[in-house]
Amino acid sequence: QVELARRKLDTGDYAGAARQAERALKLDPTHEGARSVMDEASVALGRVEAAATALRQAAARGGEAGVGAAFELMKVDPSHPEAEKAAKAAGAGFRSRAEEARRLATAARTAADRAGGSRLPAFADGIALEKQGEQALQAGQYATAAQRFLEARIRFERASR
């Protein structure tokens, strides 16, 4: 269960990771690996909730702030439905964010490669997601491009650990 919890954490499924870690802790309350996953997932869920709240507040005010808040939420949870909705509503106004997401993914890939993570499955996943991001960017699907690049960044960051 701890391995499944870690995999969920590695793919950004923070709620799923917390559930799996909780199950493992019920079986062994002293399991360090389960405790570590639970702690990481809890911190990540807190960041997601804070960013989602910021997006809701920015959306209520209207204007460019909502686009920036959507991107900040995507950075912590690329597939968050509220971020995706706001990003798609921004249309071409989200292009610069998609390009920024591409830069973040590229930097994370470089760091993972330097750390020796290029042989890990997470690195290969990151490469595939990066390619999907490029395709979406070329097709003018800026919200999807940003999501894929940010998902790639998460995989590269995991590969560098």
Side-chain angles (χ1 to χ4, degrees):
Q1 287 185 341
V2 176
E3 183 58 34
L4 179 58
R6 174 64 58 191
R7 280 196 306 262
K8 287 184 176 290
L9 186 65
D10 287 348
T11 61
D13 180 2
Y14 307 122
R19 283 190 302 274
Q20 287 299 320
E22 185 176 2
R23 288 182 187 131
L25 287 168
K26 284 182 181 177
L27 297 173
D28 180 1
T30 63
H31 194 287
E32 287 299 317
R35 174 63 46 210
S36 175
V37 170
M38 178 62 89
D39 291 346
E40 281 186 63
S42 295
V43 168
L45 286 168
R47 286 194 320 258
V48 169
E49 187 51 42
T53 298
L55 173 57
R56 288 181 210 113
Q57 292 169 346
R61 291 189 306 273
E64 178 67 20
V67 173
F71 186 63
E72 291 304 312
L73 177 53
M74 269 191 181
K75 284 168 45 178
V76 294
D77 185 356
S79 61
H80 196 285
E82 291 178 70
E84 181 178 4
K85 180 179 176 184
K88 285 184 176 178
F94 210 72
R95 180 183 182 133
S96 65
R97 299 311 200 283
E99 290 168 346
E100 182 179 345
R102 177 204 275 161
R103 288 188 293 276
L104 292 170
T106 299
R109 178 173 28 91
T110 301
D113 194 33
R114 286 186 183 145
S118 62
R119 288 180 237 106
L120 297 173
F123 191 90
D125 291 346
I127 294 291
L129 287 162
E130 208 173 24
K131 287 179 184 175
Q132 292 172 18
E134 287 295 341
Q135 292 168 344
L137 189 62
Q138 295 303 315
Q141 299 168 341
Y142 304 117
T144 300
Q147 285 176 310
R148 295 304 170 266
F149 288 132
L150 293 170
E151 289 169 352
R153 180 194 61 147
I154 290 169
R155 300 313 193 286
F156 292 137
E157 287 172 351
R158 292 291 177 192
S160 67
R161 292 183 188 176

